[in-house]
Amino acid sequence: MAQLASRLDDVENTPVSEPTPTVDPARVDELQAVLERITDRLDEVDGRITAISTELANQINEMSGELNTLGANEPATGEVVDELRDAQTRLASEQARYQIAFRQDLAQLADRLKRA
């Protein structure tokens, strides 16, 4: 019993070395390539968002200028109101197209991230 107790004490007091984790260089390269593709795609999406935002801001400024011109030069007639309504409809349609395209891009990006 004394020998078993002594051996048990020895086992309990022996330091355990932690195994060194190994990293597969091929896996690291693969993950870096995936990360680079994701980064590139995010840059594309960011550029597209910037372009869309700029285009919408320009259209809003143009429409604002037209409203100011119409308001200063012409009384609000049915024809003016119809022109404004048509311009608003075109702007809303274009904004909806941009929003749909943007959401599709985000969905594709999310799908790629899930697969990666």
Side-chain angles (χ1 to χ4, degrees), residues 2 4 10 15 20 35 42 45 47-48 57 73 76 89 92 96 100 103 112:
L4 286 175
D10 289 343
T20 305
L35 183 58
L42 284 173
V45 170
R48 195 163 178 190
N73 296 334
T89 302
I100 290 168
R103 286 183 180 185
R112 288 182 184 181

Side-chain angles (χ1 to χ4, degrees), residues 76-93:
T77 63
E79 185 177 315
V80 171
V81 171
D82 288 341
E83 284 180 38
L84 289 174
R85 187 174 296 123
D86 290 343
Q88 286 176 330
T89 302
R90 283 192 311 272
L91 183 60
S93 296

Side-chain angles (χ1 to χ4, degrees), residues 10-27:
D10 289 343
V11 169
E12 287 178 346
N13 294 326
T14 302
V16 177
S17 62
E18 294 293 324
T20 305
T22 59
V23 178
D24 180 12
R27 181 71 176 142

